[in-house]
Amino acid sequence: MTELHLWLRHEVRSTERRTPIVPSDARRLVERGMTLTVEESAQRIFPVEEYEEAGCRTAPAGSWVSAPGTAVVIGLKELPDRPGELTHRHVFFGHAYKRQPGAETLLRRFAAGGGALLDLEYLVDDDGRRLAAFGFWAGYLGAALAVLQHRGRLAAPLTPMAKDELDALLRPAAGDEEFTALVIGALGRSGRGARLGFLTAAVEATPWDLAETRALDRRALLAHDVLVNAVLATTPVPPFLREADLDDPARRLRTLCDVTVDVGSPLNVLPIYDRTTDWTDPVRRLRKEPPLDLIAIDNLPSLLPRESSADFSSALLPQLLQFETGGPWGRCKDRFHQACRELGIVEGEFRDV
């Protein structure tokens, strides 16, 4: 196998605690002959010393900009605004292929520098199924936060915790009123996580998936107290909620958690809000009377950073061990070039995977 140099970067977002490669899997990569450089990061759930013990090199936070040109820089969330020209191959969730805000700017940075985006969202098998995803934990946390908010027990700012701590908070207490919940996209990863989150809180959620959304019963949707949206649309579909629905006098819906958070994209199935919420202000009130609260946090799994990182890393490891031009990584590269063409971006000399 051709030696691969992976460069695990520090995340610039202060609320990002996860990592795509945990120390135990880093050790396996090193044992297979790969070079793995890990940037220092005080916020990462695993300290850099654990990576050193696994045989990794270390480097200061943000030093990926001067990494060897053949290194593959791997992270999770957005890159800093500088440098303006991206020369490396980058593996992360770019959120750049659905015309999201900032997408064209990001792709032009790659075109200017000759680098390439290998987007983790598009790392798929031959049947188009995601090979590594945080969806289950995103759904679980989406349901958990919705339950805590609906029961009046969601405390801000949010802080990461272990799963057993969160589960203890979810268990119903004396005086808690019963409520109805709906999960849309219930059969996918995020939907399964959301259903388990509700079950942990002793709530049996109504599961909707493709069959129920093809001919959406909006009145039935609005008759639920809590809604978790876990649908990742790939083609335009009629919105599940519209502004007029929020003012429907028959609306029972009081708490909404959008796990997908496609705000700003034409594929957004909940075009009723224009900005995300965050750990400091996790809830936004969309209507005062009757109240409707929105949770739309785009890095939910970072609230359970150890569990979510371990699951993701174990799924990503086999793909990194087979990092080559064809197969899933080749599809990632092809999707990047396609996105550039769709925006009319003239590409430079991009490296092969």
Side-chain angles (χ1 to χ4, degrees), residues 48-302:
V48 73
E49 290 79 10
E50 293 189 24
Y51 291 95
E52 285 185 293
E53 293 171 2
C56 302
R57 302 175 181 179
T58 62
S63 57
W64 61 265
V65 297
S66 56
T70 56
V72 178
V73 181
I74 183 168
L76 288 176
K77 301 301 286 187
E78 65 272 6
L79 293 170
D81 293 335
R82 290 297 184 192
E85 298 182 357
L86 297 170
T87 60
H88 295 89
R89 291 166 292 175
H90 281 261
V91 174
F92 70 110
F93 291 100
H95 303 298
Y97 298 161
K98 300 181 192 174
R99 290 180 283 169
Q100 296 100 322
E104 183 172 353
T105 298
L106 175 63
L107 293 177
R108 289 193 180 279
R109 291 172 67 190
F110 280 108
L117 168 62
L118 305 178
D119 197 307
L120 285 165
E121 186 176 335
Y122 296 84
L123 184 67
V124 298
D125 65 14
D126 293 341
D127 297 318
R129 291 188 293 264
R130 295 268 296 274
L131 291 168
F134 285 98
F136 179 86
W137 292 110
Y140 188 90
L141 280 151
L145 297 188
V147 167
L148 293 175
Q149 173 63 19
H150 198 76
R151 288 175 173 166
R153 295 205 291 270
L154 185 63
L158 304 179
T159 55
M161 61 182 67
K163 184 176 178 292
D164 57 352
E165 296 177 85
L166 178 59
D167 290 352
L169 293 175
L170 288 177
R171 295 187 189 102
D176 284 341
E177 295 183 2
E178 293 186 1
F179 62 86
T180 59
L182 171 65
V183 176
I184 304 184
L187 300 183
R189 282 191 181 95
S190 294
R192 293 196 301 271
R195 290 160 63 193
L196 180 59
F198 279 121
L199 283 175
T200 304
V203 176
E204 185 76 42
T206 301
W208 283 10
D209 209 82
L210 287 174
E212 292 80 9
T213 55
R214 285 194 184 98
L216 186 76
D217 186 342
R218 197 167 279 107
R219 185 173 296 278
L221 185 157
L222 293 171
H224 289 83
D225 299 299
V226 177
L227 166 64
V228 170
N229 172 54
V231 170
L232 181 63
T234 56
T235 57
V237 298
F240 298 161
L241 282 175
R242 308 158 301 187
E243 283 288 333
D245 300 318
L246 308 192
D247 298 316
D248 187 330
R251 169 175 61 84
R252 280 187 55 183
L253 185 64
R254 297 292 184 268
T255 306
L256 164 64
C257 183
D258 187 7
V259 171
T260 305
V261 193
D262 261 342
V263 61
S265 166
L267 302 183
N268 186 12
V269 298
L270 295 176
I272 55 173
Y273 67 99
D274 58 2
R275 63 182 186 276
T276 61
T277 63
D278 54 37
W279 290 17
T280 302
D281 297 302
V283 181
R284 178 184 171 194
R285 180 145 290 186
L286 297 180
R287 289 293 187 273
K288 293 183 179 180
E289 191 57 42
L292 177 59
D293 292 331
L294 167 74
I295 300 169
I297 299 171
D298 65 357
N299 67 333
L300 283 169
S302 195

Side-chain angles (χ1 to χ4, degrees), residues 287-344:
R287 289 293 187 273
K288 293 183 179 180
E289 191 57 42
L292 177 59
D293 292 331
L294 167 74
I295 300 169
I297 299 171
D298 65 357
N299 67 333
L300 283 169
S302 195
L303 290 165
L304 288 178
R306 187 172 296 274
E307 293 88 348
S308 62
S309 293
D311 281 359
F312 187 87
S313 179
S314 66
L316 184 62
L317 177 65
Q319 310 311 318
L320 294 176
L321 290 171
Q322 302 177 47
F323 193 91
E324 56 188 23
T325 300
W329 296 109
R331 284 189 284 270
C332 284
K333 184 186 68 171
D334 292 343
R335 186 63 185 88
F336 166 68
H337 291 311
Q338 178 187 339
C340 289
R341 289 193 299 269
E342 290 170 352
L343 291 171

